[in-house]
Amino acid sequence: MSKPRVAVVFGGRNSEHAVSLMGAGSVLEAIDRSKYEVVPIGIAQDGRWVLAASDQRFAIESGELPVVDTSGAALALPAGGGPLVAYDPGSIPVELGAVDVVFPVMHGPFAEDGTIQGLLEMAGVRYVGSGVLASAVGMDKAHMKTVMAAAGLPVGRHVVVRDRDWRLDRERVLKEAEELGYPLFVKPARAGSSQGISKAHDRAQLEAAVEFARQHDPKVLIEEAIVGREIECAVLESPGDEPAAASLAGEVRVEGGQEFFDFEAKYYPDQMSLTVPADIPAETAEEVRAMAVRAFDALDCEGLSRVDFFYTPEGRLILNEINTMPGFTSLSVAPQLWAASGLSYPELVDRLIQLALAKSPGLR
């Protein structure tokens, strides 16, 4: 029997392009080639799909972020899960064969937000991770908080700033935000990897922070600053009818004096430390795991998610956000949480592929 064919898709048209490549590089190294046939596919920043070049760079080198090399053959993914075709300029199209499952190691808008999931569902192709709705709601932090609150999970106070509100009624928006009390965190509603986030201590900084966030997304979220430790938990879909499983809880600490967990802290060496298990009371750790699974189920997530909490000095847990496709290098938080829980990175990659292969294309 032929081996299942896995297309690992990475890149994309957003500011998390490089983060996607870093994760895809780890996935491509971890996939068992004796068990799967692998097709690496990059989506360039201009939207072109290409078969990854043999010398595609996936890591940060000399401080330079990786990008999709567009010298590879251009691709078309036909409907119905048919043959994937490579169109190499000046040559006859080469059929690459049927793709059994797509592993979209992608983050942010036009990727993790349900966009690529919808495309793959229309094409009748199985894929790793959450479906269209869970991906879209998880990406939009404003809607995510609404769903989590409706599910009885505690979320921080916040103000949603839509494009029209900011253009036509800025003073009202600023006053409403200031009622939360300074300092405030300002972030794009639909971005990840800590892109576009600022901390504001006064009115001038708040306006500047909103303008900065709007460079990434016209919809912005202003949140109260919550004093607390950052506790994270990964959730993994279980095979069959078993409930989703939660990893050990871990604590993230930012090194080097940054005020918050920014892009550099996440993806540059020596900027972040992770302690697993987190040094918190046993009953609190169990509450973190239970709440993480509740959040996973509230969004109808599939595959893997990472759920982030604040643990306040008063002993309260406040849900910050859920990531339906969290950072996925072997050193990223979610894979490290699972490694500490007894599931190695290659085993995690294999589990996600097997979960996707077991699903039927179409509505879940």
Side-chain angles (χ1 to χ4, degrees), residues 102-352:
V102 170
F103 197 138
V105 191
M106 301 181 70
H107 313 287
F110 312 114
E112 187 186 351
D113 61 349
T115 307
I116 192 168
Q117 290 79 12
L119 173 66
L120 294 171
E121 289 199 6
M122 287 193 296
V125 179
R126 296 177 179 86
Y127 58 91
V128 169
S130 290
V132 175
L133 179 62
S135 298
V137 175
M139 186 81 259
D140 189 315
K141 297 175 183 65
H143 287 303
M144 179 272 296
K145 289 179 185 291
T146 299
V147 172
M148 294 303 172
L153 292 161
V155 299
R157 296 184 303 153
H158 59 280
V159 170
V160 180
V161 185
R162 294 174 175 82
D163 179 57
R164 179 181 175 85
D165 297 333
W166 187 247
R167 289 185 292 103
L168 301 182
D169 203 359
R170 180 177 302 197
E171 183 64 23
R172 178 189 61 79
V173 169
L174 291 169
K175 287 182 177 179
E176 187 177 348
E178 288 177 324
E179 290 177 3
L180 300 176
Y182 288 108
L184 295 165
F185 279 102
V186 183
K187 62 182 66 172
R190 296 165 292 190
S193 299
S194 297
Q195 299 277 9
I197 296 181
S198 302
K199 189 175 183 180
H201 297 84
D202 55 37
R203 170 69 71 95
Q205 289 184 359
L206 178 58
E207 287 198 71
V210 173
E211 292 292 355
F212 177 55
R214 280 168 54 83
Q215 295 176 21
H216 295 267
D217 186 351
K219 185 177 181 180
V220 172
L221 201 65
I222 302 174
E223 300 175 318
E224 66 173 337
I226 298 173
V227 177
R229 297 158 62 185
E230 295 196 35
I231 307 297
E232 311 203 348
C233 184
V235 183
L236 182 63
E237 180 185 358
S238 297
D241 295 326
E242 293 298 312
S247 72
L248 294 171
E251 179 175 2
V252 169
R253 289 189 179 91
V254 178
E255 310 293 343
Q258 292 99 323
E259 283 198 283
F260 58 93
F261 199 31
D262 60 9
F263 181 88
E264 284 73 19
K266 286 186 176 180
Y267 299 106
Y268 283 83
D270 305 321
Q271 298 293 306
M272 180 271 287
S273 65
L274 174 67
T275 302
V276 188
D279 184 15
I280 55 179
E283 61 271 19
T284 302
E286 285 306 306
E287 187 179 1
V288 166
R289 299 177 74 231
M291 289 173 65
V293 171
R294 285 174 58 195
F296 187 90
D297 290 341
L299 257 62
D300 286 336
C301 290
E302 299 168 74
L304 175 76
S305 291
R306 192 194 74 235
V307 187
D308 305 341
F309 299 89
F310 293 116
Y311 179 48
T312 72
E314 299 78 30
R316 294 180 59 220
L317 286 169
I318 299 174
L319 191 149
N320 183 31
E321 63 181 57
I322 183 170
N323 290 268
T324 56
M325 180 50 73
F328 210 74
T329 72
S330 58
L331 298 178
S332 295
V333 172
Q336 285 197 67
L337 289 170
W338 278 115
S341 303
L343 190 67
S344 71
Y345 187 77
E347 290 171 328
L348 176 60
V349 169
D350 184 73
R351 176 80 63 85
L352 290 169

